[in-house]
Amino acid sequence: YRGVDSTYSDAVQQNLEAVRDAAGNVIALNHLNEMGHAYTPDELASIPKMKDIVKHSIEFLGKSDKGFFLMYEQGDIDWAAHANHMDDMLGAMLDIDDSVQEIMTWIDNNGGYEKNALYVTADHDHFLTLKSNFPEVVANFLIDGESHKITPLTTLSGGVEGAAKLPAHNKGDETIEDTTGVKTMSELQGWEEGTIDQVGHFWGVEED
């Protein structure tokens, strides 16, 4: 993960430990998060950037006189979204942008769009809500060199949703209640009071 500041460092390294009762139900979450680096300097030196992988791939495949098909995926954004890790999500979007630009440059130099086609799409989305103050929040974090703070230390991560009760909802005149799990998503999520206003976004369940 590069993060929104593209440094690959000074990011919240998230970990959750599920506390279960005797029946195996999740009854609490211990947050084991800390500031740190996603990669060691040696790892960073050996890991190619996404845009470089795409650039060299399309240059190699472009040597064929029979044409070619190339598909690439920036899969990190899915992991980041499941963890509500906004810093990593924005960094993944920058990876996508850089890589698509490499393809567009190759197309411009090899017959344009009359001879080539480019499709950018997604296979699914996540329930991410941006509040009206989000652009200003991100801008201020970037200006202050504290973009990692866009991701709170305690957030709801994947793996616990299946053990939680969903909120009751109405189906016509009937109220549907979920009897599975022992706590609601609202009780399991780790947002601290005021956090959502500070970061300008939330995933799934907003604080009361």
Side-chain angles (χ1 to χ4, degrees), residues 11-178:
V12 177
Q13 306 301 309
Q14 293 185 313
N15 260 313
L16 286 177
E17 180 182 64
V19 179
R20 300 179 183 272
D21 62 16
N25 296 307
V26 177
I27 58 174
L29 296 173
N30 289 333
H31 295 269
L32 310 175
N33 305 330
E34 60 183 4
M35 291 296 296
H37 306 301
Y39 309 103
T40 66
D42 288 342
E43 286 174 328
L44 273 180
S46 64
I47 299 174
K49 305 295 187 294
M50 177 68 73
K51 66 175 183 178
D52 296 329
I53 296 174
V54 170
K55 180 177 185 294
H56 291 296
S57 296
I58 200 168
E59 287 177 349
F60 176 79
L61 293 172
K63 296 176 181 179
S64 171
D65 57 6
K66 296 181 180 179
F68 67 93
F69 174 84
L70 168 68
M71 183 183 77
Y72 95 91
E73 175 188 15
Q74 214 306 355
D76 286 349
I77 193 169
D78 185 61
W79 292 61
H82 278 297
N84 192 30
H85 203 302
M86 176 57 74
D87 189 26
D88 286 343
M89 275 191 276
L90 291 174
M93 289 299 296
L94 293 174
D95 262 350
I96 294 169
D97 185 63
D98 289 346
S99 301
V100 169
Q101 186 57 58
E102 289 291 344
I103 298 174
M104 293 172 65
T105 298
W106 187 92
I107 289 176
D108 288 341
N109 296 329
N110 291 272
Y113 291 94
E114 292 184 0
K115 294 186 176 181
N116 301 282
L118 169 62
Y119 300 93
V120 181
T121 186
D123 61 344
H124 66 86
D125 64 358
H126 288 267
F127 192 76
L128 172 66
T129 301
L130 304 182
K131 302 190 75 173
S132 59
N133 65 329
F134 178 76
E136 181 180 357
V137 166
V138 174
N140 287 332
F141 279 136
L142 286 170
I143 291 170
D144 295 337
E146 297 179 325
S147 60
H148 59 272
K149 291 184 178 179
I150 193 67
T151 298
L153 281 173
T154 55
T155 65
L156 178 66
S157 185
V160 299
E161 296 95 327
K165 292 184 291 186
L166 298 176
H169 63 280
N170 294 323
K171 182 179 180 181
D173 295 330
E174 182 184 5
T175 300
I176 307 298
E177 294 186 359
D178 178 15

